[in-house]
Amino acid sequence: MDYRDTAQEAAFRAELRAWFGQNIPPGWRDVIEDPAGRTEFRKQWHRTLHKAGYVAMSWPVEYGGRGLSPIFDAILGEETARADAPPLPGNVNFLGRAMWTHGTEEQKKRFLPMLLTGDAVWCQGFSEPEAGSDIAGLRTRAVLEGDEWVVNGQKMWTSGAHAADWCLLLVRTDPDKPKHKGISCLLTPMNVPGIEARPIYLANGEPETSEVFFDNVRIPRENMLGHRGGGWSIAMTTLAYERGPGDTGFVPKYQATLRRLEELAAERGRLADPAVRPALATAYIKGEALRLTVLEQLSLRVSGQLAGEEGSIAKLLWADAEQSIQHLAIELLGPDVWLGRAPQRLSAYLSSRPVSVYGGSSQIQKNILAQRVLRMPRA
Amino acid sequence: MLALLTDEQRMLRDVVRGAAAEMGLSSADLAGADRGRGWAELSAIGVPGLRLRGATGAPAASGVEVMIAAEELGSRLVPLPYLGAAILPVELLALAGAPARVVGPLADGSTRASVLLSADLGTFAARPDEGGFGWDCADAGFALGLVPAAAGWTLARYGVTEVEPLEAADLTRTVAGIAVGERLEEYPLDQDGVDRWLALALTAASADIVGAMRGALAGAVDYSKDRVQFGVPVGSFQAVQHMCAEALVRVEGAASTVKYAAWGVDELAVPEALLAARTGKAYASAAARDVLETVMQVYGGIGQTWEHLAHVYLRRAMLSAQVLGDERHQLAEISHARLGGR
Ligand SMILES: Cc1cc2nc3c(=O)[nH]c(=O)nc-3n(C[C@H](O)[C@H](O)[C@H](O)COP(=O)(O)OP(=O)(O)OC[C@H]3O[C@@H](n4cnc5c(N)ncnc54)[C@H](O)[C@@H]3O)c2cc1C
């Protein structure tokens, strides 16, 4: 055990600081404020990071990664936040893992490079109107006709679908089999006829996610990831990695938010307020509990263990940390938040609410912990 | 001692409930809602005039009736300015003994007015001659400001020269900066009168919050009975049941404190009435965020969307929580009342 950087990690950190010092596009926040410019900017930033060698630090070398331990991804995340750089591409790591774990040689050659370079943006089509917590209840049908899968149905909450080039799509291929066994996964291009993505506006008024309709969409047979009926285990790997905030870069973002709140408290002359001081300190310790839990889980992965059910602990710590820091933010600002004088704060607060819903709701995470980690009996 | 509504009060509740069901928001008409819809009907029921003084000087209805109306209309998110632009200015004018010529048109719904508040809505505007801010002030035809006087206060009535709506969180009510002209009239008002008004205003805002919580929770509970996952209604999961039960406890806790405050508006001595009103406001404001967040959670993803009413309830309740002092402010006042010092 040693919580300090190794020599190699320290060197990497120093290299990153120097690089960020030179390469952060000025005024990037304003650019991504505007939904029209956002997608292109993100792609461009992804390419820039990739050229510099800062995407997929922990992927195996044969798939274009740097073969480093996941600790390097964590350092990248920390330094991104420290430098106030644009966010890292969100889903690359867990999608990559799904592909190299389940894909054929040909699929890996075809899809992994474009995932790495940022030339293809992906979305994740799991949930449906009738299949949320119970994803295995999904109904979008795929029927094999000759060499093509013909897809019909509707996905919901497919975040980023309107801007995506590809979708990791779960479909029902075998309705006669037990529900978990009849699901398959299709690597679906979003630009083919019959796909329509419509934005879903969230409580803050932003089109942050989408619903997607499939009307006789034809997907080549070779685009099936893994085997027919193997979609469920792919979904589970993806979700396990998505749940770990280490993979989504949440920890450094949280720390940056806390620093901004500390500044805000100072600006508003609230640093001596006996209610504010312990609240800011509590936000700090929640961040530490989250950071150190994630570090432990990453360390387990360094030692070769796969992400498992304990990811639910990190997901719950994350939801609590994010939701309580947003509570603190709106308390610090008081009436300004509600009277339209701090629109970004209201928006950030409202955006913290679905953290306990997406990637598996908090209730579902607790079920997982109780039933599969604590092995408590089911009702 | 008996903390129950009378038969007449229950009748009023049913009438307002029926009207609210007609004129409340549903998700679909949010954008294009006709905010004037139902004003005539509300006026016919007598909602704007609940606090009009009769020949004996007694109000047409007590604080309890105001609470009933505010709860029922709040529970359906009725986007009409019956509180800020009618009941509250009527009460203030009545306490100051303003003539029927001024109060009558407000009470019968033909005119609207606004009380001038500070920029954070937490108290009265400090210099009302220069204008102030109005809550729930759509189409206010005149404004009322409180100016310090040698003995107590002067209630000044102004014409409204300009209204600049804020982009406040509440999508169902107007909050605006209000510019005023010359004083039209002045009426003397003592501190007790101001405090009585505060007790009613705080109670009305709290009842609005209680109504919003009730309406939202009822919707979430209904949804949990219909929404099937894993082959059963999500409402059958104990996790969901406990979330809703916990929310119910908070709603009922709030409702009881607000009911006592509503009775106290007319029945308690001023300091006690104000303490009861602040208690209800503090409790309801704190409960509002927790309960409405729970409601969003019970709905899952759909409860996070713009089209869904869950956030509309949250926004409205949180705005009402700011009116005449948020939870923090009320707690400070309550500790002052009970412990002394500042
Ligand atoms: C902003 C946002 C982005 C999203 N992005 C994506 C995406 O990119 N791709 C994708 O596929 N999906 C995405 N989702 C979907 C998300 O994963 C689902 O919303 C989530 O799984 C919950 O499903 P639901 O909304 O249908 O709620 P429901 O499953 O209907 O849940 C309703 C309520 O019941 C509770 N509940 C359900 N089952 C149980 C149980 N067994 N025990 C206890 N309580 C239970 C839930 O916790 C919740 O409180 C996103 C959702 C949101 C809100």
Side-chain angles (χ1 to χ4, degrees):
Chain A
M1 193 180 311
D2 187 347
Y3 282 87
R4 285 168 298 225
D5 285 347
T6 62
Q8 193 198 0
E9 287 161 2
F12 178 64
R13 201 183 283 281
E15 169 198 320
L16 276 175
R17 285 193 188 172
W19 188 82
F20 278 132
Q22 304 282 315
N23 290 281
I24 295 175
W28 65 269
R29 275 185 198 283
D30 298 333
V31 180
I32 65 167
E33 273 283 290
D34 168 21
R38 192 178 293 163
T39 307
E40 197 38 52
F41 175 83
R42 286 207 175 129
K43 274 196 180 181
Q44 195 52 50
W45 179 240
H46 188 147
R47 285 189 206 111
T48 309
L49 284 170
H50 176 254
K51 263 194 222 120
Y54 299 136
V55 173
M57 314 308 303
S58 60
W59 287 27
V61 179
E62 69 253 50
Y63 304 134
R66 287 177 61 176
L68 296 165
S69 88
I71 301 290
F72 286 81
D73 285 319
I75 293 174
L76 180 61
E78 283 175 19
E79 293 305 319
T80 301
R82 192 178 174 278
D84 198 25
L88 300 168
N91 54 14
V92 171
N93 278 339
F94 59 79
L95 285 171
R97 186 169 295 269
M99 286 178 201
W100 85 64
T101 315
H102 302 281
T104 62
E105 234 8 80
E106 230 178 273
Q107 286 171 338
K108 292 182 209 175
K109 284 211 188 89
R110 181 170 168 211
F111 290 104
L112 287 171
M114 56 183 178
L115 187 59
L116 276 177
T117 55
D119 288 328
V121 173
W122 284 76
C123 62
Q124 186 182 325
F126 292 5
S127 308
E128 296 182 3
E130 303 300 325
S133 297
D134 183 14
I135 312 174
L138 64 88
R139 295 176 188 172
T140 295
R141 272 287 270 139
V143 178
L144 195 58
E145 279 181 19
D147 277 340
E148 289 176 325
W149 290 100
V150 180
V151 180
N152 280 288
Q154 185 195 346
K155 291 289 166 182
M156 187 128 171
W157 316 115
T158 318
S159 301
H162 56 285
D165 307 296
W166 289 87
C167 180
L168 189 74
L169 183 68
L170 291 183
V171 290
R172 186 159 301 283
T173 44
D174 299 270
D176 303 331
K177 295 217 171 127
K179 68 177 190 176
H180 294 84
K181 300 219 163 99
I183 299 171
S184 306
C185 181
L186 292 176
L187 302 165
T188 303
M190 291 296 283
N191 62 356
V192 294
I195 298 186
E196 191 197 343
R198 295 184 199 152
I200 297 177
Y201 292 81
L202 294 188
N204 61 359
E206 294 281 334
E208 285 181 14
T209 182
S210 303
E211 55 186 340
V212 184
F213 298 84
F214 296 83
D215 179 17
N216 285 319
V217 175
R218 306 185 89 83
I219 310 294
R221 188 174 186 167
E222 65 265 22
N223 282 27
M224 180 169 283
L225 183 66
H227 60 88
R228 179 168 178 164
W232 182 250
S233 78
I234 297 174
M236 288 304 99
T237 336
T238 312
L239 283 175
Y241 281 90
E242 182 188 358
R243 269 168 201 157
D247 290 287
T248 52
F250 173 73
V251 174
K253 238 173 36 199
Y254 177 86
Q255 291 168 332
T257 306
L258 176 57
R259 277 198 301 276
R260 241 169 270 141
L261 286 192
E262 287 168 344
E263 287 163 18
L264 186 73
E267 283 162 24
R268 301 219 154 201
R270 301 282 301 277
L271 279 187
D273 186 326
V276 171
R277 291 180 79 80
L280 283 169
T282 301
Y284 169 74
I285 65 169
K286 284 192 177 180
E288 284 298 277
L290 179 63
R291 177 177 76 84
L292 295 167
T293 304
V294 168
L295 183 62
E296 224 167 293
Q297 292 178 0
L298 284 174
S299 304
L300 281 174
R301 273 189 231 167
V302 175
S303 72
Q305 291 193 35
L306 296 178
E309 277 105 24
E310 74 293 332
S312 295
I313 295 178
K315 173 72 205 293
L316 287 165
L317 288 174
W318 165 23
D320 175 48
E322 174 63 12
Q323 295 183 337
S324 48
I325 203 168
Q326 293 302 337
H327 281 163
L328 178 54
I330 61 175
E331 278 157 19
L332 271 176
L333 283 161
D336 282 357
V337 173
W338 307 104
L339 292 170
R341 298 188 184 111
Q344 289 96 338
R345 284 285 157 214
L346 177 61
S347 176
Y349 160 66
L350 291 169
S351 296
S352 74
R353 301 317 311 165
V355 179
S356 51
V357 174
Y358 54 61
S361 75
S362 291
Q363 288 69 43
I364 293 295
Q365 308 296 350
K366 289 177 196 173
N367 287 349
I368 292 172
L369 291 176
Q371 289 160 6
R372 296 198 221 138
V373 176
L374 297 173
R375 308 215 167 273
M376 296 168 85
R378 287 175 185 243
Chain B
M1 246 187 318
L2 193 65
L4 293 178
L5 300 184
T6 63
D7 287 347
E8 293 77 36
Q9 287 167 339
R10 272 187 280 121
M11 264 168 58
L12 174 73
R13 184 192 61 196
D14 294 345
V15 170
V16 181
R17 187 172 290 177
E22 299 257 306
M23 54 184 87
L25 281 192
S26 65
S27 56
D29 59 27
L30 180 56
D34 171 6
R35 306 217 158 164
R37 185 154 67 102
W39 185 251
E41 192 182 339
L42 272 193
S43 305
I45 300 171
V47 171
L50 282 173
R51 297 296 287 179
L52 185 67
R53 303 306 196 258
T56 63
S62 78
V64 177
E65 279 78 7
V66 173
M67 172 202 80
I68 290 170
E71 260 186 51
E72 292 302 329
L73 297 166
S75 82
R76 293 299 188 120
L77 297 168
V78 172
L80 296 170
Y82 45 88
L83 288 179
I87 294 177
L88 300 187
V90 164
E91 175 77 355
L92 194 54
L93 285 163
L95 284 161
R101 147 184 81 78
V102 177
V103 192
L106 277 183
D108 68 22
S110 51
T111 301
R112 295 176 189 174
S114 179
V115 177
L116 294 170
L117 301 177
S118 58
D120 64 0
L121 306 185
T123 182
F124 295 99
R127 279 187 292 278
D129 287 349
E130 295 163 25
F133 290 81
W135 167 66
D136 193 24
C137 60
D139 301 322
F142 65 87
L144 298 171
L146 216 53
V147 192
W153 302 88
T154 297
L155 180 65
R157 191 165 87 87
Y158 307 88
V160 169
T161 55
E162 212 181 310
V163 174
E164 199 174 322
L166 307 184
E167 298 227 358
D170 186 354
L171 305 171
T172 63
R173 286 187 162 133
T174 306
V175 181
I178 296 177
V180 298
E182 299 285 293
R183 293 188 196 179
L184 302 174
E185 283 131 37
E186 295 178 359
Y187 312 99
L189 188 61
D190 61 10
Q191 185 63 45
D192 270 6
V194 172
D195 287 348
R196 282 254 175 244
W197 182 82
L198 267 180
L200 181 81
L202 288 167
T203 302
S206 308
D208 184 66
I209 297 172
V210 170
M213 292 194 289
R214 278 231 172 96
L217 181 59
V221 169
D222 282 349
Y223 180 80
S224 80
K225 296 174 185 172
D226 290 341
R227 169 72 175 170
V228 172
Q229 291 286 279
F230 305 99
V232 294
V234 296
S236 67
F237 297 121
Q238 213 160 57
V240 175
Q241 294 177 350
H242 283 192
M243 281 197 281
C244 293
E246 175 77 32
L248 177 67
V249 172
R250 300 293 296 281
V251 177
E252 291 308 318
S256 297
T257 59
V258 174
K259 199 193 242 179
Y260 175 63
W263 172 81
V265 163
D266 303 291
E267 303 293 336
L268 287 171
V270 168
E272 281 74 41
L274 198 50
L275 178 61
R278 293 197 191 286
T279 303
K281 185 79 183 340
Y283 195 109
S285 305
R289 196 183 73 194
D290 294 346
V291 167
L292 293 164
E293 288 179 352
T294 295
V295 164
M296 290 176 84
Q297 184 69 20
V298 169
Y299 281 109
I302 203 75
Q304 313 293 329
T305 61
W306 178 262
E307 277 159 88
H308 199 277
L309 288 182
H311 75 106
V312 186
Y313 276 110
L314 175 75
R315 288 162 175 270
R316 172 156 167 153
M318 292 311 290
L319 206 292
S320 294
Q322 311 308 311
V323 174
L324 295 165
D326 59 6
E327 184 201 2
R328 198 166 137 236
H329 175 92
Q330 304 307 336
L331 292 179
E333 293 293 333
I334 291 166
S335 22
H336 177 62
R338 291 181 50 77
L339 311 170
R342 277 277 172 188

